Amino acid sequence: MHMIRYAVFGHPIAHSLSPRIHTAFGHQLGIDVRYAAIDAAPEAFVEALERFAGDGGRGANVTMPLKEAAFALSAQLTERARRAGAVNTLTRVDGRWHGDTTDGAGLVRDLTARHGLDLRGRRALLLGAGGAARGVAPALLDAGIAELVVSNRTPERADALADALGEPKRAHSRYWDDLGNLGEFELIVNATSAARGGQGEFSLPFSITTSRTLAVDLNYGEAAIPFLAWARAANCRDVFDGLGMLVEQAAESFALWHGTRPDTDPVYATLRGHSAVLVTSD
Ligand code: NDP
């Protein structure tokens, strides 16, 4: 009989805090959680996942650049994963993987429940159209934002995401080079991996912000520094990194697998204490 295992798959994955978060949730609730980080390049992902299942793998989180591949291999999907076209949580059921996405719920919970912000009625700009952007877009619409503009370096992916959302009046794509002509946004979400690997500045026109803008980077740690520096320079009112979302999406996955929801506050506080990036909010 294999021991029940959990893991996060990604490429690269060495930076992942997920093993620490899930282990801390387990300690809190008296559950012995075996949770590892497994590096899998896209071409090796399916095989690595099957090997993991054979070794007792019962649940897997999936991060960049594998979320769309996880969607494609899921035998069953939740409604929110189907709308997102991306999967970050896989659960083994009767020898098959069931796919869900907890990214969007994690982001909205962090912004509303932890930081007390109201997203309703905001005009929003989503930068990026990869797995994370796909995961958060439907949840932002469900949270009551007025409009969602999706912009991506590769415009076809932004078009595909906007189309998949199926709300042409509220959600549409625009060219990145055109950002300066799109007016002001009260919510700007950076869902790109542009600053990973130590790439310098984040240069966006200040004209897209107002003094009421909430700017959120899904990245955390050093990868969040360029966008957060830009947002502060643009005088955005609230500026957050993705650490809170990371903890909340993990709690959502944990609840799916273990049937009980951990208290995220102590785990968030511990990680925040070690994080290099400060968040600011009036
Ligand atoms: P993907 O690889 O699926 O997508 C990457 C995205 O970044 C694409 O839109 C890509 O554009 C864009 N991009 C990459 N390089 C550049 C660049 N130099 N300039 C502009 N755009 C660029 O990754 P994910 O969507 O899964 O993840 C995106 C980021 O969000 C990651 O850094 C990840 O760590 C973070 N994240 C954080 C979470 C949290 O809980 N806090 C949860 C999920 C993700 P293109 O299509 O043109 O290649």
Side-chain angles (χ1 to χ4, degrees):
M1 183 71 181
H2 286 294
M3 179 166 288
I4 294 173
R5 292 176 201 282
Y6 299 89
V8 57
F9 287 78
H11 186 63
I13 199 63
H15 68 281
S16 178
L17 293 172
S18 292
R20 222 172 122 185
I21 295 172
H22 279 265
T23 305
F25 288 162
H27 281 160
Q28 189 189 99
L29 292 161
I31 302 170
D32 183 15
V33 175
R34 305 289 158 119
Y35 190 110
I38 299 178
D39 195 297
E43 60 279 9
F45 175 46
V46 173
E47 205 187 311
L49 198 59
E50 284 314 299
R51 205 176 318 124
F52 170 67
D55 288 342
R58 182 80 58 87
N61 286 126
V62 178
T63 187
M64 70 175 286
L66 304 172
K67 288 181 180 175
E68 287 152 275
F71 174 84
L73 66 78
S74 295
Q76 269 193 35
L77 292 162
T78 58
E79 176 57 25
R80 59 187 178 180
R82 195 182 309 281
R83 277 174 78 203
V87 157
N88 82 334
T89 307
L90 291 163
T91 307
R92 194 76 171 170
V93 182
D94 296 333
R96 300 184 325 162
W97 291 111
H98 285 199
D100 194 1
T101 179
T102 63
D103 280 342
L107 175 64
V108 170
R109 203 179 165 93
D110 180 52
L111 296 177
T112 58
R114 173 167 293 113
H115 297 300
L117 295 162
D118 191 349
L119 302 182
R120 287 173 299 179
R122 292 186 191 239
R123 182 166 189 255
L125 172 64
L126 178 59
L127 300 167
R134 284 184 161 270
V136 301
L140 291 173
L141 289 170
D142 290 349
I145 59 169
E147 184 186 356
L148 183 67
V149 174
V150 184
S151 191
N152 192 47
R153 177 179 63 177
T154 308
E156 294 78 12
R157 289 183 89 190
D159 296 345
L161 170 51
D163 285 351
L165 291 168
E167 291 193 47
K169 286 211 177 101
R170 268 209 303 166
H172 33 252
S173 55
R174 292 287 181 268
Y175 289 116
W176 190 286
D177 288 346
D178 244 10
L179 285 176
N181 303 317
L182 299 183
E184 299 168 339
F185 294 91
E186 289 112 11
L187 170 62
I188 301 175
V189 178
N190 176 32
T192 76
S193 56
R196 292 175 73 116
Q199 286 169 36
E201 281 179 22
F202 216 101
S203 125
L204 296 168
F206 286 164
S207 62
I208 62 176
T209 66
T210 77
S211 56
R212 301 179 307 285
T213 299
L214 157 62
V216 188
D217 198 335
L218 303 195
N219 295 280
Y220 47 87
E222 290 195 347
I225 290 172
F227 177 78
L228 298 187
W230 170 83
R232 286 199 199 98
N235 282 326
C236 293
R237 181 159 64 193
D238 301 295
V239 180
F240 297 113
D241 68 6
L243 196 64
M245 168 184 169
L246 178 77
V247 176
E248 294 304 329
Q249 61 79 28
E252 191 93 2
S253 297
F254 189 98
L256 283 171
W257 294 331
H258 303 287
T260 173
R261 175 172 267 284
D263 178 3
T264 53
D265 285 347
V267 178
Y268 174 74
T270 304
L271 293 177
R272 176 57 71 206
H274 294 128
S275 174
V277 176
L278 293 172
V279 294
T280 52
S281 182
D282 283 353

